[in-house]
Amino acid sequence: MSVSTTNPWMVNPAAISSTVADAVASLPAISLAELNDAAALQVRVDRKYILTVPQLETLVGEQLHRLASLEIDGARSFAYESVYFDSPELRSYHDAAHRRRKRFKVRTRTYLDDQTTVLEIKTRDGRGSTIKERHAHSFDHRDEIDCRAGSFVDASIGVPGFAARLLPVLTTEYRRTTLVDLDDIARVTIDDGLRCVDWSGGSFTLDDRVIVETKSSRSPSTTDRLLWAAGIRPSKISKFGTGLAALHPELPSNKWHQTLRRHFTTP
């Protein structure tokens, strides 16, 4: 991991992105409509892993006969940007770090290739259920919560007036490749070149790892079982929580301690 205190927006290190592209180049293509038909997975279990590039190449190589790669307009990887908002006292962060049963997360997600932005609010209720709500948002104002967006946020989290206190605290950018296992009815996303920049301009790039997430029904997918057989277990990682904790060691971070120690340790 490389760390700097400047903010030259270095989008997705070319070397790792190229290696990921090479790893999936031989897979058959699948369209977005076909992927949704084959593996919509409205009810699913998500598991996240942090892999080295050689581990990723081995994982894909062992499943060439099972996997297809999402392709849109000839492209197989897509640039994402997320801007996370929190209150000055970082309520959302602390609620997540302390595993509070009722918590929420507010962000804009931008698909940079077509410059489309949505506002997303994730809430978790006292029973542990997570609800995601989305609202159209301006691409040019993706780092702001205007009055209209604020009303949507307040209604979603049930705290009137809270949106007016929200500030952009972390921006993340990465490239995402999506694979589908048609035999298992499971999805695999690969995020590479993750870069995080906080409100003060501090930044880091996870430039030698990829974040792999499996999305399957309640049973572990073949990808999960292959990773477990190789001694690779799921990691507790949140781009928002882990990113802020890596940049600000003074914040409570027990929830992500092992992930931070193994993969985000500053030289």
Side-chain angles (χ1 to χ4, degrees), residues 166-182:
L166 291 175
L167 300 169
V169 297
L170 188 75
T171 300
T172 65
E173 194 166 281
Y174 52 94
R175 297 200 69 85
R176 171 164 289 183
T177 303
T178 299
L179 310 180
V180 58
D181 184 333
L182 297 175

Side-chain angles (χ1 to χ4, degrees), residues 159-218:
V159 184
F162 189 78
R165 305 183 63 238
L166 291 175
L167 300 169
V169 297
L170 188 75
T171 300
T172 65
E173 194 166 281
Y174 52 94
R175 297 200 69 85
R176 171 164 289 183
T177 303
T178 299
L179 310 180
V180 58
D181 184 333
L182 297 175
D183 293 338
D184 254 357
I185 315 300
R187 294 192 193 193
V188 180
T189 59
I190 305 164
D191 294 344
D192 67 87
L194 172 65
R195 181 171 172 80
C196 299
V197 179
D198 71 8
W199 64 84
S200 65
S203 66
F204 74 80
T205 303
L206 192 65
D207 51 13
D208 58 352
R209 298 286 193 276
V210 296
I211 299 172
V212 171
E213 185 169 0
T214 63
K215 309 169 191 290
S216 63
S217 61
R218 302 203 179 273

Side-chain angles (χ1 to χ4, degrees), residues 21-218:
D22 291 343
V24 302
S26 61
L27 300 178
I30 186 171
S31 70
L32 182 59
E34 291 171 328
L35 183 147
N36 287 332
D37 286 344
L41 294 173
Q42 296 300 319
V43 178
R44 68 194 189 198
V45 175
D46 298 343
R47 300 176 179 88
K48 294 179 181 179
Y49 306 85
I50 301 177
L51 307 184
T52 65
V53 173
Q55 287 172 331
L56 173 67
E57 292 176 313
T58 298
L59 177 69
V60 174
E62 291 180 349
Q63 300 188 83
L64 289 177
H65 63 292
R66 304 177 59 89
L67 300 177
S69 175
L70 173 65
E71 184 174 290
I72 301 175
D73 296 330
R76 295 198 176 193
S77 71
F78 309 94
Y80 283 56
E81 178 198 79
S82 294
V83 179
Y84 294 90
F85 298 85
D86 208 343
S87 61
E89 70 276 13
L90 299 179
R91 172 176 169 175
S92 290
Y93 176 87
H94 285 283
D95 284 353
H98 293 294
R99 297 182 175 91
R100 296 194 174 109
R101 295 180 67 187
K102 292 185 177 181
R103 57 184 187 262
F104 57 85
K105 185 187 301 180
V106 180
R107 73 181 179 193
T108 57
R109 166 163 283 185
T110 298
Y111 305 92
L112 293 173
D113 299 287
D114 61 7
Q115 298 190 346
T116 300
T117 300
V118 294
L119 174 66
E120 293 186 342
I121 297 96
K122 282 186 176 181
T123 56
R124 178 168 293 192
D125 62 22
R127 297 184 299 275
S129 299
T130 299
I131 301 171
K132 181 192 289 187
E133 298 179 83
R134 309 181 95 196
H135 188 274
H137 200 80
S138 166
F139 172 81
D140 293 328
H141 299 281
R142 59 194 184 275
D143 60 349
E144 302 173 8
I145 301 291
D146 59 20
C147 291
R148 183 181 177 187
S151 297
F152 177 68
V153 171
D154 287 346
S156 297
I157 67 176
V159 184
F162 189 78
R165 305 183 63 238
L166 291 175
L167 300 169
V169 297
L170 188 75
T171 300
T172 65
E173 194 166 281
Y174 52 94
R175 297 200 69 85
R176 171 164 289 183
T177 303
T178 299
L179 310 180
V180 58
D181 184 333
L182 297 175
D183 293 338
D184 254 357
I185 315 300
R187 294 192 193 193
V188 180
T189 59
I190 305 164
D191 294 344
D192 67 87
L194 172 65
R195 181 171 172 80
C196 299
V197 179
D198 71 8
W199 64 84
S200 65
S203 66
F204 74 80
T205 303
L206 192 65
D207 51 13
D208 58 352
R209 298 286 193 276
V210 296
I211 299 172
V212 171
E213 185 169 0
T214 63
K215 309 169 191 290
S216 63
S217 61
R218 302 203 179 273

